[in-house]
């Protein structure tokens, strides 16, 4: 029998590492909240050369850091320790993370802090995001968020207002939202869909077999339903996965078939990189040739565009996906 979410030990799958609840640094667990999983450490494997990136640098990057700090904003680039942060920020683009920087879920791959968010919503956040996007001169703005499972609306009204504010501040700017699953509360999802973002992105992250260790509070079929509902309402949809977590090629190809079935237009595939020793270990570094193969197969199956490469992340080259 599965133990409750706030249990100290979660059942293991055959061959998986043991995850233990941690309190303190990431917030004590309470009903509905889980502390960041602690993975029993293994020696880190040296990354192959194709995963080496330059550190962020230059005046453009420095100015963007100051701009984000000045407006009291969060970017997923920083919170998720994205390997492309230097490239994207130097080019003058960034992905804004709204609803705070504390997430109510404890995905085994994610570097965003887990815990209990401050109560309520920051209703001035959409204005600050739009103002920063205007100063940056963005032509395509990406907005994502932490999960706010303690709220019935999941923070959807802030997504909606952020879309409206960006369009008001920057006429002609396209907007992509990378949304949570809202726990399957479709009225919350509809609040976002009603604003008609140019791209509706929701990542399934991994193959269904690995969900209990990768996304323990998520549901693969529910995520597919988010994408299907969005597509049924005429939106351009996008979703992505990480590889190197122990999935097989056959599982990835089956997932692609699911994407075709629910009408996903854009798929992203990137290498999973372990943020800290407390997160899931990398099972395999996927060779660049395999990423090319995934792109070819996915597009042959009927996915319009597959962005596939070791350093690809959900918002990488996002402006090309509109």
């Amino acid at each position: 029998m599965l133990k409750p979410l706030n249990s100290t030990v979660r059942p293991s799958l055959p061959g998986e590492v043991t995850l233990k609840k941690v309190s303190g640094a990431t917030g004590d667990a309470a009903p509905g909240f889980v502390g960041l999983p602690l993975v029993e450490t293994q020696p880190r494997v040296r990354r192959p050369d194709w995963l080496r990136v330059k550190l962020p640098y230059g005046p453009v990057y420095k100015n963007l850091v100051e701009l984000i700090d000045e407006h009291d904003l969060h970017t997923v680039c920083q919170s998720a320790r994205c390997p492309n942060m230097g490239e994207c920020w130097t080019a003058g683009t960034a992905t804004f993370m709204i609803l705070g920087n504390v997430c109510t879920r404890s995905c085994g791959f994610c570097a965003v802090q887990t815990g209990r968010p401050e109560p309520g919503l920051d209703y001035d956040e959409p204005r600050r995001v739009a103002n920063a996007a205007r100063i940056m001169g963005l032509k395509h703005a990406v907005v994502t968020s932490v999960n706010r499972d303690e709220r019935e609306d999941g923070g959807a009204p802030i997504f909606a207002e952020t879309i409206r504010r960006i369009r008001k501040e920057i006429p002609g700017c396209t907007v992509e939202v990378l949304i949570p699953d809202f726990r399957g509360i479709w009225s919350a999802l509809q609040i976002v869909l009603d604003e008609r973002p140019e791209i509706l992105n929701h990542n399934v992250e991994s193959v269904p077999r690995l969900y209990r260790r990768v996304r323990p509070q998520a549901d693969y079929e529910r995520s597919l339903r988010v994408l299907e509902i969005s597509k049924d309402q005429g939106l351009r949809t996008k979703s992505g996965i990480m590889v190197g977590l122990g999935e097989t090629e056959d599982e990835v190809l089956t997932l692609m078939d699911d994407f075709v079935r629910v009408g996903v237009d854009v798929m992203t595939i990137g290498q999973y990189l372990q943020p800290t020793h407390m997160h899931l270990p990398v099972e395999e570094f996927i060779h660049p040739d395999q990423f090319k193969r995934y792109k070819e197969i996915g597009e042959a199956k009927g996915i319009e565009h597959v962005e596939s490469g070791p350093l690809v992340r959900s918002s990488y080259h996002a402006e090309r996906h509109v």
Side-chain angles (χ1 to χ4, degrees):
M1 178 181 294
L2 294 178
K3 296 186 178 182
L5 287 179
N6 59 348
S7 170
T8 56
V9 180
R10 183 179 62 78
S12 299
L13 293 173
E16 79 168 313
V17 295
T18 301
L19 303 181
K20 299 179 181 178
K21 185 183 76 64
V22 178
S23 61
T26 56
D28 292 337
F33 300 88
V34 179
L36 182 66
L38 177 62
V39 177
E40 293 180 350
T41 59
Q42 300 177 6
R44 283 205 176 190
V45 179
R46 182 178 180 274
R47 293 181 182 180
D49 290 341
W50 63 76
L51 286 172
R52 298 186 180 278
V53 295
K54 294 181 179 179
L55 293 174
Y57 68 95
V60 173
Y61 171 77
K62 180 176 180 292
N63 290 340
L64 284 175
V65 171
E66 293 174 352
L67 178 66
I68 295 299
D69 290 343
E70 177 185 345
H71 288 78
D72 191 25
L73 298 172
H74 307 286
T75 68
V76 73
C77 320
Q78 295 165 302
S79 296
R81 304 179 186 182
C82 178
N84 301 311
M85 185 165 60
E87 177 185 350
C88 295
W89 281 36
T90 301
T93 64
T95 298
F96 298 102
M97 186 169 71
I98 61 174
L99 303 177
N101 63 346
V102 178
C103 186
T104 54
R105 297 192 186 180
S106 54
C107 298
F109 62 88
C110 185
V112 175
Q113 182 182 0
T114 298
R116 281 181 283 196
E118 292 293 325
L121 297 175
D122 180 357
Y123 288 96
D124 187 53
E125 191 172 41
R127 180 194 63 81
R128 299 197 309 274
V129 168
N131 192 41
R134 177 182 56 80
I135 295 171
M136 292 167 65
L138 298 186
K139 295 181 180 179
H140 180 73
V142 182
V143 181
T144 189
S145 77
V146 294
N147 285 276
R148 293 294 299 268
D149 289 338
E150 87 284 9
R151 297 185 57 87
E152 187 74 11
D153 63 17
I158 300 298
F159 263 109
E161 180 61 17
T162 302
I163 295 170
R164 290 192 290 266
R165 284 280 189 166
I166 290 173
R167 287 174 170 163
K168 181 179 179 180
E169 287 287 333
I170 320 170
C173 179
T174 53
V175 181
E176 174 177 337
V177 290
L178 172 54
I179 62 171
D181 61 19
F182 296 113
R183 293 185 294 133
I185 299 175
W186 306 128
S187 59
L189 172 63
Q190 193 60 50
I191 292 172
V192 180
L193 300 187
D194 285 345
E195 297 304 320
R196 311 296 297 175
E198 277 72 21
I199 297 181
L200 191 292
N201 188 348
H202 173 68
N203 287 334
V204 302
E205 305 291 7
S206 186
V207 300
R209 177 177 60 85
L210 299 179
Y211 258 49
R212 280 178 58 192
R213 60 191 294 250
V214 176
R215 300 182 73 200
Q217 295 124 304
D219 180 86
Y220 179 74
E221 291 298 329
R222 183 168 67 202
S223 285
L224 289 180
R225 185 63 180 145
V226 169
L227 295 163
E228 186 174 39
I229 291 172
S230 303
K231 188 62 180 179
D232 286 346
Q233 296 192 27
L235 294 179
R236 184 168 176 79
T237 56
K238 176 178 174 181
S239 188
I241 63 169
M242 302 165 293
V243 291
L245 282 162
E247 72 292 327
T248 67
E249 180 183 276
D250 284 346
E251 287 176 318
V252 173
L253 301 191
T254 298
L255 182 146
M256 288 178 176
D257 291 334
D258 290 337
F259 278 8
V260 172
R261 175 172 57 83
V262 299
V264 170
D265 297 293
V266 180
M267 179 181 186
T268 58
I269 309 174
Q271 171 71 52
Y272 167 66
L273 298 175
Q274 184 183 27
T276 74
H277 71 279
M278 296 174 67
H279 293 82
L280 293 171
V282 176
E283 298 292 336
E284 180 183 4
F285 289 114
I286 308 301
H287 193 275
D289 289 346
Q290 181 65 30
F291 282 102
K292 293 178 183 178
R293 173 173 165 78
Y294 281 145
K295 175 179 175 62
E296 292 169 356
I297 293 175
E299 292 179 352
K301 283 178 175 289
I303 301 172
E304 180 184 319
H305 180 76
V306 178
E307 191 84 47
S308 179
L311 293 176
V312 167
R313 294 297 180 265
S314 186
S315 301
Y316 190 56
H317 293 160
E319 71 283 353
R320 304 179 186 179
H321 303 156
V322 178

